[in-house]
């Protein structure tokens, strides 16, 4: 009281910037000396996807279409849109909107097939995995394929 000066608490600060968390938990805390914090959760970092990665994903879908037990006309319809999407994605100055426009009828056809055939259900699942993988690369154009 007289002549004794109370110690000042240490100054503390925390900041986070440039953090992308997908399906995870981020928790920050700040307190005095007796503070304890525990955290659990899954943090996934989103890696930058390249044109080459997109082409590889579209090739996987192309292989699945060729292997599916569909009529040749159904396969040709899907491949008629899938191949130009793959060619555009491989270009140096890629037009992502164009890729999305080519993939839109592929997605619509797969939707129809999933309700009508067993092979369509499996192909739909593969298509959704591929579209989900390339959606970050497509950016705004991903809306064209319903992602």
């Amino acid at each position: 009281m007289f002549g004794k000066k109370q110690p000042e608490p240490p100054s503390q600060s925390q900041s986070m910037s440039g953090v992308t968390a997908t399906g995870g938990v981020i928790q920050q805390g700040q307190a005095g000396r007796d503070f304890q914090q525990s955290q659990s959760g899954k943090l996934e970092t989103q890696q930058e996807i390249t044109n080459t990665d997109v082409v590889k994903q579209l090739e996987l879908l192309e292989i699945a279409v060729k292997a599916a037990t569909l009529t040749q006309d159904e396969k040709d319809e899907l491949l008629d849109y899938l191949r130009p999407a793959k060619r555009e994605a491989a270009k140096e100055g890629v037009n992502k909107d164009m890729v999305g426009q080519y993939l839109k009828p592929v997605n619509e056809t797969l939707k129809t097939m999933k309700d009508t055939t067993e092979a369509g259900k499996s192909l739909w699942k593969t298509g959704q995995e591929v579209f989900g993988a390339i959606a970050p690369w497509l950016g705004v154009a991903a809306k064209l394929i319903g992602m």
Side-chain angles (χ1 to χ4, degrees):
M1 208 156 148
F2 294 109
K4 271 195 166 184
K5 189 173 182 184
Q6 293 291 330
E8 290 186 34
S11 124
Q12 295 180 2
S13 69
Q14 292 181 352
S15 67
M16 294 177 70
S17 64
V19 175
T20 301
T22 305
V25 177
I26 293 180
Q27 181 179 356
Q28 280 187 285
Q30 179 176 325
R33 63 184 174 158
D34 295 331
F35 179 71
Q36 287 186 344
Q37 177 177 344
S38 64
Q39 175 178 338
S40 64
K42 183 176 157 189
L43 181 64
E44 298 172 15
T45 57
Q46 189 172 344
Q47 295 179 345
E48 192 69 29
I49 186 169
T50 66
N51 295 21
T52 306
D53 297 327
V54 171
V55 170
K56 286 178 183 174
Q57 288 292 321
L58 294 177
E59 284 173 351
L60 291 174
L61 184 54
E62 185 178 2
I63 291 167
V65 167
K66 289 176 181 177
T69 55
L70 302 172
T71 68
Q72 191 57 47
D73 287 343
E74 290 170 325
K75 289 180 184 182
D76 289 343
E77 180 181 352
L78 289 167
L79 295 173
D80 284 346
Y81 291 105
L82 191 53
R83 287 180 178 142
K86 189 172 77 170
R87 273 194 304 273
E88 183 64 33
K91 290 181 181 177
E92 187 68 34
V94 63
N95 181 337
K96 293 178 182 181
D97 286 336
M98 184 69 73
V99 175
Q101 289 172 4
Y102 283 127
L103 292 177
K104 182 178 180 181
V106 173
N107 191 38
E108 290 170 351
T109 303
L110 290 176
K111 274 185 191 175
T112 302
M113 288 180 175
K114 93 171 167 147
D115 295 331
T116 58
T117 67
E118 196 59 42
K121 286 178 187 175
S122 174
L123 205 50
W124 162 259
K125 183 179 178 200
T126 302
Q128 292 308 295
E129 290 170 2
V130 168
F131 294 154
I134 67 170
W137 177 84
L138 280 172
V140 175
K143 297 223 183 282
L144 291 170
I145 58 172
M147 298 307 279

